[in-house]
Every structure is written in C-alpha cells, then in structure tokens.
Amino acid sequence: MAVAWTEGGKLFCSEPRGDKGTPDIPEPVLVDGRVCPFCRPALGGDEDDTLYVAYREELDGNVRDIYLRRRPAGETEFRPPVRVSTEGFTSPACPMAGPAIAAAGEGRIVIAYIVPGDRPELKAACSTDGGASFGAA
C-alpha cells in the first residue's frame, strides 16, 4: 500500500507498513519538487510491484501538463519524470483536476486526465512499455 499527496507545491509518497493497529509510517519520499499544488496525484501498481505516480506538473510559464514517475520494485528512488500529456495547458491557477491511472499488466498503463478550459476535454494516454513513453489511447 502506498499514499501520495501534494504539500506546498511538492509531491510526496510514503508506504506505511505493519498491521492495522500499529502501522510503521516511514519518512515521506520527495517525488517531485514543483507540482500543481491542489491537483490530486494518482497511484497505480503492477504485477511486478512497480509503483506509478501520475500528477499534474507545474512548469515555467504556468504550463500544467500530466507526468508520470515510476519506482520499480526493490528500488528506493523514483525514475525521472515522463511527460504524458502534450497539450501544453497553461493556467495562472491550479485547475484542481488531477489524473487517474490504471496499470493493466505486461507494461500497459492508461492515464486519463482532463484538459480544462471553456470546453473541458477528457483525454487518455497509453503506455505499452511500463511508462517509458506514452501515446494517445
């Protein structure tokens, strides 16, 4: 089990361990130091216990696109971010529209997200290589 959250424009993840009565909660891991502050991240995992975190990044110029970070089983560090969306959505404020993720096994990942605006669009991106790259679903 894992949890991910944003705090102060940063993305954190932790994996509580132990039983229900006395969980051991290790120090949170900083996943990304600059994210959209109120867009909730999404977590997914696959049959190999790889952990995936999808989130809305905040880039220079108020670009707020969707990214994925993955942490293979047995590793402590997340791999570099992979850009999922390519719309270049910009906004001076957080749209409060985080992504959703599903890991379907055998390296297949689907991430759904909203491109906010006057006419919001639901988009989906698919990876068949464990999150190393994405294309339209």
Side-chain angles (χ1 to χ4, degrees), residues 109-129:
I109 301 166
V110 177
I111 296 178
Y113 59 95
I114 297 289
V115 179
D118 293 336
R119 293 178 172 257
E121 293 180 67
L122 175 61
K123 300 269 188 160
C126 185
S127 173
T128 57
D129 55 13

Side-chain angles (χ1 to χ4, degrees), residues 11-29:
L11 175 61
F12 294 93
C13 184
S14 185
E15 293 183 81
R17 296 178 185 91
D19 61 38
K20 293 179 189 175
T22 56
D24 172 30
I25 302 175
E27 284 294 311
V29 172

Side-chain angles (χ1 to χ4, degrees), residues 3-6 11-12 35-43 53-56 98-101:
V3 293
W5 67 96
T6 60
L11 175 61
F12 294 93
V35 300
C36 200
F38 300 110
C39 287
R40 291 184 178 97
L43 287 171
V53 182
Y55 59 98
R56 190 176 292 278
I101 186 170

